[in-house]
Each structure stands twice: as C-alpha cells, then as structure tokens.
Amino acid sequence: MSESWIVGINPVEGALSNDAERVREVLVENGQRNARVLELAERAKKLKIPVQHRPREELDRHAGEARHQGVVARYEAAPAAHENDLAGLLERDGSDTLVLVLDGVTDPHNLGACLRSAAAAKVTAVIVPKDRAVGLTPVVRRASAGGADRVPLIAVTNLARTLRELKDAGVWITGLAGDTDTSVYGVDFRGPVAIVLGSEGEGIRRLTRELCDFVAKIPMPGTMESLNVSVATGVVLFEALRQRGAKKP
C-alpha cells in the first residue's frame, strides 16, 4: 500500500463515498466556513475517520500545485499495478480488452483527465512509459476525479516491447495521428484492442507508430488542427464503446 493526498472538495467527497475504508484522515483548513467542506468533515466523523483542523500552509504543502479548497484527505491507495500484471489483466478481460496507451503525456491535468475517461470507459489498463510521463501526483488525482484509483496505471520500462507483447496476445493496436486519411470512425474497435495517443506537442513517437496495426485520425472539419490529448482520448474511447456495444444483444 502507498499513501497519498486527495485534494479538493469533489475528490475528497468521492473518496468518502466510494473508498472510505482507504481514507486515513481528513484535514480541514482552520476557520473554514464552506458548507460543503464542513459537511465532508461531519461525514468523515460519522465514518470514524479522524478530522484535523490545520493551518492553510499545511494543506498547501500536501496539495502541491493542486487547489485544495480547504480540505485534503490522506489516502491509502491500492498497490500500484506492475507491468508484470498486464498479462493477467488481458486474460481477465479477454475479448473485451480495451487498453489505453499514452506515449509521453507529461501534463498532470491531461493525465488525470485521461484516467477519468479511462475509468468511465472501463478500460482494462492505462499504459505509460516510465521515463516520459508524470506520476500520480495530487494534481493528477484531483483531475482524475477518482479515476486514478479505478483503472490500473502501468508504467513500463520499454514501451515498444510492451506493444509487441500486446500484439503477441492478440490485441490490435490503433495509433492516433493527424497525418493519415483513415478516420477513427472507419476503424473496427471490436474485440481486444489498444488505442495509442501521443504527447501534447509531439504526438506518438516513430517506433511507437511503426508498431501500430492501424493509424487513424479524428476528423475535424473546423479550423483547429488538433485536440487536447485528454479530449481526443474521450472521443476515441467512447467511439470504441459505441462499436462494442453494438455487438451486444
């Protein structure tokens, strides 16, 4: 188990509602009068979770760059997924496997938003490279709105090797890029699939792209050339879900 801090009203509320057994204590800023914060404190007390009133500086320190809104919670997260766990996750989900691969997303707000969409889409696992991605910081957790603890995030040493392992396991891989004529709406996302998105500025790397079975784009008739990676993630994940739902009776 590893401890971290959940920061802000909505994330703390989500933890108390869904994972209260993992919340070790709640810290409330001294002099706090926000009705929602006070309500969270009362709920924590009813759940037998210690509530401490502390100076703003202490909450700032636990929150890092995240905006805490006067409340943070010390949280005992489930053990982090390891790359050796991937084979078992693929076996568990079988033909329903849906993997999200993020090739170098370093912005914590984007990673958090991607994890939120992945959790909503019931993704099997989110895979990131160890050396080109942000970790599970308080900002990431806050942006994920609980998604960070609901979908396995696997940091791998060698992304290319992991993609080859996915292919060997029968997973079809589609990468997103703007310089292709193939639309995501023309790709078959049924069955075991992995969807690869690149970093905010550079997109997917050359070797990553070469290992994809398909490369597709999200058609954009407007004047913008690209979407934020977290927005693109939501679009393509729920297109995959739309297709996969169509095969169900």
Side-chain angles (χ1 to χ4, degrees), residues 48-170:
K48 309 299 183 184
I49 298 169
V51 176
Q52 311 289 341
H53 291 266
R54 291 289 184 264
R56 180 182 183 86
E57 293 76 17
E58 183 172 340
L59 273 69
D60 289 343
R61 186 171 66 252
H62 293 309
E65 297 179 1
R67 180 166 168 262
H68 56 68
Q69 301 173 291
V71 62
V72 300
R74 184 162 58 87
Y75 182 79
E76 188 176 84
H82 188 273
E83 53 188 304
N84 292 337
D85 298 325
L86 182 57
L89 292 170
L90 299 179
E91 183 178 359
R92 181 199 69 187
D93 286 2
S95 62
D96 292 327
T97 292
L98 177 59
V99 175
L100 175 64
V101 180
L102 300 173
D103 185 16
V105 174
T106 57
D107 182 275
H109 295 94
N110 279 338
L111 178 58
C114 288
L115 289 171
R116 181 175 185 171
S117 293
K122 204 175 181 181
V123 161
T124 301
V126 176
I127 296 173
V128 298
K130 282 184 178 178
D131 62 345
R132 298 186 74 242
V134 65
L136 283 180
T137 66
V139 176
V140 171
R141 288 190 179 277
R142 189 174 193 277
S144 77
D149 295 304
R150 288 171 173 76
V151 60
L153 176 66
I154 301 176
V156 300
T157 304
N158 188 318
L159 183 59
R161 181 178 64 202
T162 300
L163 292 175
R164 293 188 185 100
E165 292 172 354
L166 288 173
K167 292 164 75 75
D168 290 343

